[in-house]
């Protein structure tokens, strides 16, 4: 993946198709700014899906570690892996 290009919202608006093509063909992300503040990133869909899988795998590994620790400490006061995942998703949402 190439270094990202930083462009303002108005710049991106004038050539969005080029920004998308650049992300897809050249694997170059574009960071979009608004009033000088970074707001969003345009990346290739395959890269997005790869990053999602990595995040989901990391979350699952972390939850499994927590469940293993809880199991080794006993079951009193513990919750199931599914309950823990639901609680974490509620907190994030």
């Amino acid at each position: 993946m190439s270094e990202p290009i930083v462009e303002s919202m108005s710049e991106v608006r004038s050539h969005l198709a080029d920004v998308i093509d650049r992300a897809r063909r050249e694997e170059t992300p574009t960071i979009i700014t608004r009033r000088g503040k970074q707001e969003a990133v345009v990346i290739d869909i395959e890269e997005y899906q790869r990053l999602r899988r990595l995040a989901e795998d990391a979350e699952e590994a972390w939850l499994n570690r927590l469940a293993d620790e809880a199991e080794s400490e006993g079951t009193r006061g513990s919750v199931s892996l599914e309950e823990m995942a639901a609680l974490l998703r509620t907190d994030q949402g």
Side-chain angles (χ1 to χ4, degrees), residues 1-80:
M1 181 180 295
S2 302
E3 285 296 312
I5 294 174
V6 179
E7 293 185 323
S8 70
M9 180 79 76
S10 60
E11 291 171 324
V12 169
R13 221 182 263 131
S14 68
H15 66 104
L16 181 58
D18 294 332
V19 170
I20 293 169
D21 287 342
R22 182 172 56 215
R24 188 170 48 93
R25 291 188 186 130
E26 300 171 24
E27 297 181 356
T28 302
T30 300
I31 298 173
I32 302 171
T33 63
R34 187 184 334 194
R35 296 182 191 95
K37 181 181 172 198
Q38 295 181 351
E39 294 282 337
V41 179
V42 176
I43 59 173
D44 177 62
I45 189 66
E46 290 178 8
E47 179 65 5
Y48 169 76
Q49 291 167 340
R50 185 186 74 80
L51 292 171
R52 284 288 305 257
R53 282 191 304 273
L54 283 173
E56 289 168 0
D57 292 348
E59 179 183 36
E60 185 176 333
W62 178 69
L63 289 172
N64 285 332
R65 278 195 308 276
L66 286 178
D68 290 344
E69 289 173 13
E71 187 176 306
S72 69
E73 293 174 3
T75 58
R76 197 179 95 189
S78 65
V79 296
S80 72

